[in-house]
Amino acid sequence: MGEEEDDNIKVTLLGSSGVGKTCIIKRYTENSFDPLNQATLVSSFSQKEVDIDGKIVPINIWDTAGQEQYRSLGRLFYKDSRIVILVYDITSKESFLDIKNLWYNDLTTYGEKYTVTALVGNKSDCYEKEEVEEKEAREYAKEIKAHFFLVSAKTGDNIELLFTNLVKEYLGPEFAAKMKEINNEKRKNEKISNKVKQKKKGCC
């Protein structure tokens, strides 16, 4: 298990305004859908308990603002987020390009070193208006080593599967091993840093 073993698992959704991040969260946490949701300002927070093979696992889900003027503030919520969901709208090519040119760059710059990541195409119920081909999205997901899901917040299609699969990977042995490696490296670097500080104090 990851470093948040005794705490709620932090999940963060990233993506441009209007792709349906809030609707995905509400469908998952409340099993409801409101097409008239107001745009999220900076961030909002929801909680949910997930049943993973009979074990109840609490997760905290953070919904970040997609508007350009709030991006710098939203980066504050990347910290300690070990599950990240990159959301685009399949009917908007621009929202997909924003993932490639903005949001994934933000994640790699400001996010944690290692995360369980998913690329999610929302509004799969509007496939007749599709502007982003599934093949292209899957190829990009493979390139950034992310899971890929097509979901519909409106119908609920694949929403439960999305969160359950990501939490399962977080709790799995591969993630635990990677986190152990990262934490060991972090402790090693801290020891080196402390030794350097002590030497500097001693030479004065």
Side-chain angles (χ1 to χ4, degrees):
M1 188 185 294
E3 64 183 0
E4 299 172 13
E5 181 171 349
D6 298 319
D7 301 321
N8 291 6
I9 301 170
K10 185 176 180 181
V11 182
T12 301
L13 277 74
L14 306 177
S16 298
S17 182
V19 298
K21 300 185 299 296
T22 302
C23 289
I24 287 173
I25 293 171
K26 286 196 171 184
R27 172 60 72 184
Y28 181 59
T29 59
E30 303 173 10
N31 195 27
S32 65
F33 176 75
D34 180 3
L36 302 178
N37 269 318
Q38 296 291 324
T40 301
L41 300 180
V42 185
S43 70
S44 65
F45 165 76
S46 301
Q47 290 182 305
K48 173 88 172 181
E49 290 187 336
V50 192
D51 186 338
I52 303 295
D53 300 325
K55 179 179 180 179
I56 302 302
V57 181
I59 62 174
N60 294 336
I61 308 172
W62 289 90
D63 180 8
T64 57
Q67 299 95 323
E68 174 66 28
Q69 64 266 37
Y70 297 118
R71 276 181 63 213
S72 60
L73 293 174
R75 291 165 184 160
L76 299 173
F77 298 93
Y78 293 17
K79 182 175 172 55
D80 299 328
S81 185
R82 291 298 178 184
I83 299 178
V84 178
I85 301 174
L86 299 163
V87 184
Y88 71 94
D89 173 355
I90 71 164
T91 70
S92 168
K93 184 73 171 185
E94 182 179 0
S95 71
F96 179 69
L97 294 176
D98 282 347
I99 293 291
K100 300 178 73 172
N101 299 326
L102 297 175
W103 297 107
Y104 183 68
N105 289 338
D106 267 12
L107 174 61
T108 55
T109 302
Y110 302 101
E112 295 295 339
K113 186 176 180 180
Y114 186 71
T115 61
V116 177
T117 307
L119 176 65
V120 172
N122 188 32
K123 306 184 184 180
S124 61
D125 55 288
C126 300
Y127 61 90
E128 71 281 357
K129 299 178 182 178
E130 181 184 70
E131 291 186 2
V132 183
E133 292 187 4
E134 181 178 341
K135 180 181 178 181
E136 179 184 5
R138 284 189 180 276
E139 288 176 351
Y140 179 63
K142 184 177 181 180
E143 178 185 329
I144 63 174
K145 296 180 173 60
H147 297 273
F148 177 73
F149 292 87
L150 287 177
V151 306
S152 170
K154 183 177 182 179
T155 67
D157 189 39
N158 282 339
I159 298 292
E160 190 83 25
L161 183 67
L162 164 66
F163 285 91
T164 299
N165 282 10
L166 296 183
V167 172
K168 277 186 176 181
E169 180 174 335
Y170 172 87
L171 296 173
E174 184 177 339
F175 189 87
K178 189 65 178 180
M179 287 308 305
K180 184 177 181 180
E181 177 185 327
I182 290 172
N183 289 333
N184 287 340
E185 184 67 24
K186 184 178 179 181
R187 282 190 287 269
K188 180 180 177 182
N189 291 336
E190 286 175 350
K191 286 181 180 179
I192 294 173
S193 178
N194 289 335
K195 285 182 179 179
V196 171
K197 289 178 181 177
Q198 288 173 1
K199 285 184 178 180
K200 287 183 177 180
K201 286 182 180 179
C203 68
C204 298

